[in-house]
Amino acid sequence: MSTIYSVAASLDGFVAAPGDDLDWLLQFGFDAFQEHHDRFTAGVGAVAMGSTTYEWLRAHEDTWPYQDKVTWVFSSRSLGVPTDGDVRVVSGDVRDHHGQVVASAGGRDLWIVGGGVLAAQYQRAGLLDELRVTVMPIALGAGTSLLPVASDTGVLDLVGTTVFDGGAVELHYRRRARPEMCM
């Protein structure tokens, strides 16, 4: 079981254009990525997202896209939930909820979905195990940062790459294991 931030980003490190605009990403379609995405999500038991991602999904999807997974929405506000999914809205520090979130994944992976603010909170708490960034062949110049962290992540180990038709490349990193202390 891993906690994974999997996201698409522009060449210059943005996951959304100004105003949380995703048209830049949607122009690439999904066909080239579908099989890879399906393999990834088959190993996911729960998803976590912030309120901006949640509200974007609610506004742009006819049905809840994660009906077969428990969804955790981190928000400081009260939010309505769809009737066609198991959506749980929580507030506070990710560490306070991590045990419940992991348990709801049933031994499968936890996917941090959407913007980088929640992923940065997981990283600061030392709970982010993997980072999967699909770098899209476009620069945006401004927008929402891939991983807005206040300090460095430490060195990550590259464990794989996947090249997609159309020029996108997924970079798959894992948190470097800390060396064992000798006694």
Side-chain angles (χ1 to χ4, degrees), residues 4 13 17 25-26 30 60 66-67 94 110 125 134-135 143 154 159 163-164 172-173:
I4 304 168
L25 177 60
L26 299 176
F30 208 66
H60 292 89
Y66 307 112
Q67 292 180 25
V94 296
L110 167 61
T134 301
V135 180
V159 295
V163 177
F164 298 100
H172 181 182
Y173 294 97

Side-chain angles (χ1 to χ4, degrees), residues 2-3 37 54 56 62 76 86 118 144 161 169 171 178 181:
S2 292
T3 299
H37 178 74
Y54 177 71
W56 190 94
D62 294 331
S76 59
D86 185 353
L118 184 64
T144 304
T161 59
V169 178
L171 304 171
R178 294 193 172 112
M181 299 292 291

Side-chain angles (χ1 to χ4, degrees), residues 24 29-30 39 70 74 99 105-106 111 131 149 154 167 171:
W24 70 273
F30 208 66
R39 277 194 308 274
V70 178
F74 286 79
W111 176 19
L131 177 62
V149 294
L171 304 171

Side-chain angles (χ1 to χ4, degrees), residues 128-129 153-158 173-179:
L128 191 63
D129 301 312
T153 62
V155 177
L156 303 170
D157 290 324
L158 180 67
Y173 294 97
R174 187 169 293 132
R175 181 172 31 150
R176 182 167 281 179
R178 294 193 172 112

